[in-house]
Amino acid sequence: MWVASVGYLLPLCAVVLLFTLQFCRVCCVDVPTNVSCRPGFSSSSYRFHVKSTPLSHSTVLGKVNFSDCSGKTDAFYETDVAHILVASDGTLVVNRQMKHHNQVKSFTVHAWDSEGKKFSTNITLVDHGQRLLYSRGHVHSGHHNTELESPKISSLPVLTFPKFNSGLSRQKRAWVIPPMNVAENLRGPFPQQLVQIKSSRDKEITVFYSITGQGADRPPLGIFTIKREDGSVSVTVPLDREEYADYTLKCYAVSQNGESVEEPMDIIIRVIDQNDNRPRFTQKVFEGSVLEGVPPGTPVMNVTATDADDPNTANAILGYSILNQEPGEMFIIHRQTGVISVVTTGLDRESVNKYTLTIQVADMEGEGLSATSTAIITIKDQNDNPPLFISKTYTANVTENVVDFEILQLNVTDKDEPHSPNWRAVYRIVKGNEGGFFNMSTAESNNGILKVVKGLDYETTPVYTLLISAENEASFSIALTPSTATVTVFVLDQNEAPIFNPKEKTEQLREDHPMRRVISTYTATDPDKGQKQVIRYNISRDPAGWLEVNPETGVISSKAELDRESVFVQNNKYSAVILASDDGIPSATGTGTLILDLEDVNDNAPVPSPRDFEICNEEGVPVLLQIVDRDLPPHTSPFRAQLLRSSDKNWTVVLNEKGDGLLLTPKHMLKPALYPVYIRLFDAQGIFQDTVVNATVCECKGELFCPPKYNSSGPPVFSVVLAVLAAILALLILLLLVILFMKRRKSVKEPLLPEDDVRDNIYYYDEEGGGEDDQDFDLSQLHRGLDARPEITRNDVVPTLMPAPQYRPRPANPDEIGNFIDENLNAADNDPTAPPYDSLLVFD
């Protein structure tokens, strides 16, 4: 039984093959070849019987035969699976334990001839004693794995530098050295020899060997070493394919004096992948969502993972699976792609809105190293539940004539996601709202709000029956019937105000309409037909006070003269508001508007404007006076003017070109003075009025207005300025007095001496010295004599026997301030109660 480590087997086999190829290579000159030999495998496919039990490490599966027509028995082989290795003699060996042979049913073995041409054959594994599991093309049956001999173990392989002929004869193609395969993660011991290189002249001269390249003299340094004397190449540390997948070394052979003995030779070392990396999910938690009610097979989300091993081997072929899912098994995962899909019907967000899946990924197509993650799938809502009315019937009362009034709210329930379009209700009045009196809207709580938007009339329709339906903003995802409810609205009668017909009535009449004569009859009707009520009328608004109304009949008459020229008339129209009130409880009042369209009569004579003007006495410019007539045509122009009372001796009057003004001109030079001019103006119908116009004649020439000194419209400018300055000065004085008064009232008179004032003590010593021992004095001696002389008053305290003087109050007249100060100062000087108090002490 072959018990050697497979880690050693692969590089040894490769080196033996290379050594054999070098040994058998042809020379530069043409050598006759065997034209009947065809290189390749003995069969295009092989079939090996294996046990169904797990295949352990180093188990021999079978042997393949390969010939390159060179006569050698060893070759360099390679497989496309990591579980199986091929020795240089063609023996297939299990490199890693296989749980079941179904893990690898078929694979390919490759080999190279002396010219570097690649050949392949297919290998199929079948159960022992069973039919063929998998095969392609011609099948070569192999022995059972227990019947095969162990593979041979070769010594360290030797590579010889190729020779080149400098002659003119044709050379054969140079020997091709296939890559050397070295498994990663070798266990040692290290250094471990891989191959030996030799020069064909090592028997003639002393040859020294060296290598360069990545892993030797370039980073990573020291991975590969060579013995200088014998050319054996060794690996010093375990290799890591995920760090470097291959290395290229250049081999040199030189003599003792440093001259090159051979042409440099390249060796490619390829690191064979081992399953030493667990797959990793790209996310710790995957989140996805799917609509409720979707059919089976609907994809939900895709989970992904990575594996650092060789993607061309099963070490990096991942397989996904679901270990657990809560609260129910509703999903499945695609083993190769990681796509999670719905596996069955029954996804209902209203029942379960979230699923948690524990997912696993494993290499070796799901049978190797594994990792786990979590997938959270949220079930999204669809509109598969209609809004349902809590009650099917509702009743409500509403008073007639009210507008924009909320009658009631209709409650609904919806199982879909709250505050989403699938949940928000939309209400519609299906029947009973033909007149457009009602409206439905949606409240924040999703209830339906029923409002009356047009006034109802009890006398017309006392009861309304409404059919209301409820749907959602979003369309139903399945066939559903909208929920409906019936609302009965009872209209409550109220005392309605009488109604004028029309609301606005116009009467045309002359402005000289006689007093106490009927103008119009303006009446109202009571809409409460079932109630016999009495209507009474009165006037609410009559700005000119011209009208009166009969309270029982509504007949409107004039009580004063009408005047179209009144300020209360706009565009010949006068408006009054009439009220009609019933005797209901409570009383109701309606309003109507009466408009009088007044026809003009010639009741106003023309007058000049203005009534005063100025003119110079020399070469005075004619003065234009406008003619004003408040009547309307034809009661106005053309006008005529006439001077009265000898005014024509000094003045002339004519109409201007437009006929709406008078031109007054002095006939001769007048003395400066005020002249009255008497004018009579006629309208087109001969109505006239006499008017006096005051003309101020000034000492000037040709100017329209008089100089300022003759200006009688007001005082001279200098007088006005003086008056303004005087007023400002008086205001400032008054303000100052007010401030002084307020300050005096706020001030508080402080005593000159505090109550606890300590007076100087007078000590009488009848002898010198004593110091602190002479401090016991009889202070009553200081007042000796005062007690026996009552006529002397002590003034070190406030006297109580003498009356206080009277102070004069502050006068209101500012001119008396000086006297006020003098008198009160004199009173204060003679005031014995005012501090400081004088003391008179008598000493005997």
Side-chain angles (χ1 to χ4, degrees):
M1 188 69 181
W2 185 35
V3 295
S5 173
V6 177
Y8 290 99
L9 179 61
L10 179 62
L12 290 176
C13 293
V15 173
V16 169
L17 172 63
L18 292 176
F19 174 75
T20 305
L21 292 175
Q22 288 287 351
F23 180 78
C24 297
R25 64 186 178 87
V26 298
C27 300
C28 296
V29 296
D30 290 336
V31 177
T33 59
N34 186 3
V35 294
S36 63
C37 179
R38 296 182 62 183
F41 287 96
S42 62
S43 177
S44 61
S45 62
Y46 292 84
R47 180 180 61 187
F48 298 111
H49 294 276
V50 296
K51 296 179 180 179
S52 59
T53 56
L55 301 178
S56 62
H57 180 271
S58 300
T59 299
V60 177
L61 301 176
K63 184 178 181 180
V64 296
N65 297 319
F66 177 78
S67 173
D68 64 349
C69 298
S70 62
K72 61 184 181 62
T73 57
D74 292 338
F76 176 73
Y77 299 95
E78 185 183 68
T79 66
D80 58 359
V81 293
H83 298 75
I84 300 172
L85 294 179
V86 183
S88 61
D89 61 352
T91 302
L92 279 67
V93 183
V94 176
N95 181 38
R96 185 181 309 146
Q97 179 177 355
M98 299 170 59
K99 295 180 180 179
H100 193 273
H101 74 273
N102 288 336
Q103 185 174 347
V104 179
K105 293 183 179 180
S106 65
F107 57 94
T108 304
V109 175
H110 309 283
W112 287 263
D113 64 6
S114 60
E115 295 184 354
K117 185 178 179 180
K118 183 179 179 180
F119 297 86
S120 302
T121 185
N122 295 320
I123 308 299
T124 304
L125 303 180
V126 296
D127 284 338
H128 183 65
Q130 299 295 326
R131 64 182 178 87
L132 178 65
L133 293 179
Y134 185 87
S135 66
R136 290 177 292 182
H138 175 70
V139 178
H140 176 82
S141 297
H143 297 284
H144 192 273
N145 55 316
T146 58
E147 299 174 357
L148 293 177
E149 297 179 356
S150 300
K152 297 181 293 183
I153 302 176
S154 301
S155 60
L156 185 65
V158 178
L159 294 179
T160 305
F161 285 91
K163 291 184 178 182
F164 297 90
N165 191 345
S166 59
L168 298 177
S169 60
R170 184 176 61 87
Q171 294 182 356
K172 294 192 68 175
R173 179 180 298 177
W175 187 264
V176 177
I177 303 176
M180 296 179 58
N181 292 335
V182 179
E184 65 174 337
N185 304 321
L186 293 177
R187 296 184 179 180
F190 295 101
Q192 186 177 58
Q193 293 183 344
L194 300 179
V195 68
Q196 183 179 14
I197 61 176
K198 278 186 173 293
S199 171
S200 59
R201 299 180 60 189
D202 60 346
K203 299 184 182 298
E204 304 173 5
I205 60 174
T206 302
V207 179
F208 297 110
Y209 303 94
S210 63
I211 57 174
T212 62
Q214 189 180 43
D217 61 344
R218 286 186 295 147
L221 300 174
I223 300 295
F224 301 99
T225 62
I226 187 171
K227 287 186 178 181
R228 184 167 175 263
E229 293 78 11
D230 63 1
S232 59
V233 179
S234 303
V235 61
T236 61
V237 294
L239 302 181
D240 186 0
R241 192 209 65 83
E242 286 70 41
E243 186 174 359
Y244 294 97
D246 55 63
Y247 298 86
T248 301
L249 302 178
K250 189 175 285 294
C251 305
Y252 300 89
V254 297
S255 63
Q256 286 182 328
N257 56 10
E259 294 180 355
S260 178
V261 176
E262 303 282 359
E263 290 292 332
M265 178 177 60
D266 290 336
I267 300 177
I268 299 176
I269 299 176
R270 186 167 58 185
V271 183
I272 301 301
D273 183 49
Q274 301 292 319
N275 192 16
D276 57 346
N277 290 279
R278 287 183 179 274
R280 292 184 179 182
F281 279 102
T282 56
Q283 296 176 218
K284 292 183 178 179
V285 177
F286 293 88
E287 294 184 356
S289 60
V290 64
L291 290 173
E292 63 176 335
V294 296
T298 302
V300 178
M301 60 190 296
N302 187 18
V303 298
T304 56
T306 60
D307 195 312
D309 288 323
D310 188 355
N312 297 319
T313 66
N315 298 335
I317 298 178
L318 305 180
Y320 299 90
S321 60
I322 298 177
L323 300 181
N324 183 49
Q325 49 182 313
E326 293 292 340
E329 296 184 358
M330 303 295 294
F331 303 95
I332 192 173
I333 190 169
H334 193 281
R335 187 175 180 85
Q336 285 77 32
T337 63
V339 174
I340 299 177
S341 305
V342 179
V343 70
T344 184
T345 59
L347 284 179
D348 185 9
R349 189 203 66 87
E350 288 73 36
S351 300
V352 179
N353 61 0
K354 184 178 294 185
Y355 289 83
T356 302
L357 281 62
T358 301
I359 54 178
Q360 174 182 278
V361 62
D363 55 19
M364 305 301 295
E365 301 183 67
E367 301 295 336
L369 302 177
S370 63
T372 60
S373 182
T374 301
I376 298 176
I377 300 177
T378 301
I379 309 303
K380 296 171 63 177
D381 185 43
Q382 289 202 96
N383 193 13
D384 56 349
N385 293 281
L388 300 176
F389 287 100
I390 295 179
S391 176
K392 287 295 184 180
T393 58
Y394 296 86
T395 59
N397 298 327
V398 60
T399 304
E400 64 176 336
N401 298 320
V402 297
V403 178
D404 196 24
F405 175 75
E406 181 180 320
I407 300 176
L408 58 80
Q409 289 195 11
L410 289 74
N411 300 325
V412 296
T413 60
D414 196 317
K415 295 180 180 180
D416 290 319
E417 184 176 358
H419 307 290
S420 68
N422 300 331
W423 175 83
R424 285 191 290 269
V426 177
Y427 299 89
R428 186 166 59 93
I429 302 177
V430 179
K431 186 179 179 181
N433 191 32
E434 289 76 11
F437 295 100
F438 304 95
N439 178 59
M440 286 297 301
S441 60
T442 306
E444 290 293 331
S445 61
N446 212 33
N447 291 338
I449 301 175
L450 177 62
K451 281 187 175 182
V452 57
V453 294
K454 291 171 60 176
L456 305 178
D457 186 6
Y458 171 82
E459 287 73 24
T460 302
T461 307
V463 179
Y464 290 87
T465 301
L466 307 176
L467 180 63
I468 300 175
S469 68
E471 299 181 21
N472 293 119
E473 290 183 2
S475 301
F476 294 140
S477 60
I478 57 177
L480 297 174
T481 302
S483 176
T484 59
T486 302
V487 180
T488 303
V489 180
F490 295 95
V491 182
L492 302 179
D493 187 25
Q494 69 170 4
N495 186 21
E496 300 176 79
I499 300 175
F500 282 95
N501 188 18
K503 291 288 292 183
E504 195 176 89
K505 186 176 184 180
T506 302
E507 295 286 352
Q508 294 183 348
L509 67 159
R510 291 167 55 92
E511 63 175 322
D512 60 352
H513 183 82
M515 295 177 56
R516 307 299 177 184
R517 295 283 297 273
V518 175
I519 295 177
S520 177
T521 299
Y522 196 18
T523 59
T525 58
D526 192 346
D528 298 316
K529 299 178 182 179
Q531 305 177 21
K532 295 182 179 181
Q533 297 177 339
V534 178
I535 300 176
R536 297 186 63 84
Y537 302 91
N538 60 77
I539 297 176
S540 171
R541 182 177 177 272
D542 181 16
W546 294 340
L547 307 177
E548 60 182 3
V549 63
N550 188 311
E552 297 178 356
T553 63
V555 175
I556 300 173
S557 305
S558 61
K559 67 177 181 179
E561 293 182 355
L562 307 181
D563 184 10
R564 190 199 64 82
E565 292 76 27
S566 171
V567 296
F568 301 107
V569 178
Q570 301 292 330
N571 298 325
N572 302 331
K573 291 181 174 55
Y574 177 78
S575 298
V577 177
I578 312 301
L579 301 181
S581 303
D582 59 22
D583 58 352
I585 301 175
S587 177
T589 301
T591 61
T593 302
L594 177 64
I595 299 176
L596 302 181
D597 189 356
L598 299 177
E599 180 184 347
D600 184 43
V601 296
N602 195 4
D603 57 350
N604 293 280
V607 294
S609 178
R611 303 292 181 90
D612 299 278
F613 66 91
E614 300 169 352
I615 190 171
C616 293
N617 60 350
E618 294 185 30
E619 301 178 5
V621 178
V623 177
L624 176 63
L625 301 179
Q626 294 293 332
I627 300 175
V628 178
D629 193 332
R630 299 172 63 189
D631 292 325
L632 298 176
H635 304 140
T636 55
S637 61
F639 300 104
R640 291 184 296 113
Q642 179 181 345
L643 296 176
L644 305 175
R645 297 185 185 183
S646 303
S647 295
D648 55 351
K649 293 181 179 180
N650 296 326
W651 305 89
T652 61
V653 60
V654 295
L655 295 177
N656 63 353
E657 294 181 359
K658 294 183 179 180
D660 59 354
L662 301 176
L663 292 175
L664 279 177
T665 308
K667 289 184 176 182
H668 49 78
M669 183 175 178
L670 301 176
K671 294 181 180 181
L674 181 64
Y675 294 87
V677 181
Y678 296 90
I679 303 174
R680 175 175 292 177
L681 283 175
F682 297 87
D683 61 18
Q685 296 182 355
I687 302 298
F688 67 87
Q689 181 171 327
D690 297 339
T691 308
V692 179
V693 178
N694 296 318
T696 302
V697 179
C698 307
E699 186 72 34
C700 58
K701 182 178 181 180
E703 297 292 337
L704 182 59
F705 299 104
C706 296
K709 64 180 182 178
Y710 294 103
N711 193 335
S712 60
S713 62
V717 177
F718 181 71
S719 301
V720 173
V721 173
L722 289 180
V724 173
L725 292 177
I728 294 174
L729 182 60
L731 182 61
L732 291 176
I733 293 174
L734 180 61
L735 181 61
L736 179 61
L737 292 177
V738 170
I739 293 174
L740 291 174
F741 175 72
M742 297 298 295
K743 186 175 181 181
R744 181 176 180 85
R745 290 189 61 183
K746 292 181 179 179
S747 62
V748 179
K749 188 174 182 180
E750 298 291 343
L752 296 179
L753 292 176
E755 295 180 0
D756 56 349
D757 180 41
V758 180
R759 300 285 181 162
D760 293 337
N761 293 322
I762 301 177
Y763 300 98
Y764 174 77
Y765 299 95
D766 55 356
E767 60 182 0
E768 295 181 359
E772 296 180 357
D773 295 334
D774 293 335
Q775 298 300 318
D776 189 11
F777 303 109
D778 184 7
L779 298 180
S780 63
Q781 296 298 322
L782 297 176
H783 301 282
R784 186 167 57 85
L786 295 179
D787 296 336
R789 300 176 64 180
E791 71 276 6
I792 299 176
T793 305
R794 292 180 57 188
N795 290 333
D796 58 346
V797 295
V798 178
T800 58
L801 301 178
M802 299 180 66
Q806 297 294 324
Y807 291 93
R808 177 183 175 184
R810 184 171 64 84
N813 187 2
D815 297 336
E816 294 294 328
I817 293 297
N819 295 332
F820 162 74
I821 294 175
D822 292 338
E823 292 178 7
N824 283 352
L825 180 60
N826 184 44
D829 290 340
N830 297 318
D831 186 359
T833 64
Y837 312 119
D838 297 332
S839 297
L840 177 61
L841 303 179
V842 179
F843 302 94
D844 295 336

